[in-house]
Each structure stands twice: as structure tokens, then as C-alpha cells.
Amino acid sequence: MRWFKQKVKDEWIEQTKNKIYKELYVLVVLLCIFSIVYKEIVNPEPSNLPIAELLILAGTGIYYTIRGWQFGIFSAEKEIHDRSSRIPMTAKNFIYAVAVGIGVSLYFGIRSAVVYGEGTSQSVYYFFLTSAGSLMIYIPVMFLLAFIPFIFSREKNVE
């Protein structure tokens, strides 16, 4: 049964192929982001949604998360990071989640004030109202997205 035998593979060749695949992945993600930004700037109509690009970006992220969890990459990366860094990875993810949540909330608050506000007092009111509402929504969402890989990797290590 020669079908099931593993062929001898050169490690340099495999590493080079992996490097090329990584570069290709980065190129595809950058093209999707460029396409989304271009569509939003050139033709910002609601009927022209970048659905294909968003599906590609979300699908690759979900696939990477699932495969990383299956192979135990996240727990290994966390252990290596925590050995060499003064700030644990959990604390860094917490800081990043708060920063991104605040950034998204400020963006929506400023945009709401500029686009919909008719005067200084109404613009300030819209800014604070939209920022507070966005903070209540996006900070928990960012926490969830930041800690999903570690929740799954912890469950896998317990088994």
C-alpha cells in the first residue's frame, strides 16, 4: 500500500512554501481592504455593499481561528509570549480590546455629530449619545473577539 506512505519532504522547501502562502494571504487581505475602501469612497451607496470582500475577510479569520485551536497554536503562543514579556498576553488583549472599542465609539460619535448635527449643541449631544451607545456595544464585542481563541484553547488543554 504505497498510497498511505508519507513522502520525504525537505524542510526548507516546506518553509519556503509556507512563507509564500503567508505572503499570498496578506496580499488577499490587503486587496479586500483596498476594495472595501475604494467602494466606500467612489460609490458609497447602500446598494453597493462589499459583501464578497467582507465574507473573504471574515472567512479567513474564522478558518485561522478554528485551525489554530485544533493544533494548539494559541496556547503555545501564549506560553512563549508570557515567558519573554513583562505584560501577559491576556492583559495586552484587554488593553487592545478597550482601545479598539473606544476608537470605534469615538469614530461613530464624531461621524454622527458631523453628519447629523445641526448646530453646536445638537452636535455635542449627538456625539455623546452615539459615543456612549457605541461604547456599550463595541467594548463587549471587542472583549469577546479578543478572548475567543484563549477560551477555546483553555478548553482544549483541560481535555
Side-chain angles (χ1 to χ4, degrees):
M1 291 256 151
R2 295 183 66 129
W3 296 336
F4 299 113
K5 286 188 177 181
Q6 289 283 348
K7 294 182 181 180
V8 177
K9 296 182 180 180
D10 186 16
E11 187 174 334
W12 176 80
I13 293 172
E14 292 302 313
Q15 292 295 330
T16 306
K17 285 166 55 175
N18 288 340
K19 185 177 178 181
I20 292 170
Y21 291 142
K22 179 183 173 186
E23 292 169 355
L24 183 62
Y25 170 75
V26 169
L27 181 67
V28 168
V29 168
L30 288 176
L31 285 174
C32 286
I33 291 171
F34 176 75
S35 176
I36 290 170
V37 169
Y38 180 76
K39 283 181 180 180
E40 288 299 315
I41 291 173
V42 171
N43 193 9
E45 295 178 15
S47 63
N48 191 16
L49 296 175
I51 294 173
E53 291 88 347
L54 293 174
L55 284 175
I56 290 170
L57 290 174
T60 55
I62 291 169
Y63 178 78
Y64 180 80
T65 302
I66 291 170
R67 294 299 285 175
W69 172 71
Q70 287 177 341
F71 289 125
I73 292 173
F74 296 121
S75 58
E77 279 183 339
K78 184 180 181 301
E79 288 176 16
I80 290 171
H81 177 272
D82 288 348
R83 276 189 235 147
S84 63
S85 178
R86 292 183 302 165
I87 301 173
M89 186 170 273
T90 308
K92 281 186 179 179
N93 282 346
F94 178 80
I95 293 167
Y96 294 149
V98 169
V100 169
I102 290 173
V104 168
S105 298
L106 288 176
Y107 168 75
F108 283 133
I110 292 170
R111 185 178 186 285
S112 177
V114 169
V115 172
Y116 301 112
E118 296 175 0
T120 306
S121 62
Q122 191 178 27
S123 294
V124 170
Y125 175 73
Y126 283 172
F127 171 77
F128 284 115
L129 183 69
T130 307
S131 295
S134 296
L135 275 173
M136 289 189 287
I137 294 171
Y138 287 107
I139 286 186
V141 168
M142 292 302 141
F143 280 142
L144 183 66
L145 291 176
F147 291 109
I148 282 177
F150 298 110
I151 291 169
F152 284 127
S153 65
R154 181 174 295 156
E155 287 178 6
K156 186 172 181 173
N157 288 341
V158 171
E159 293 174 359

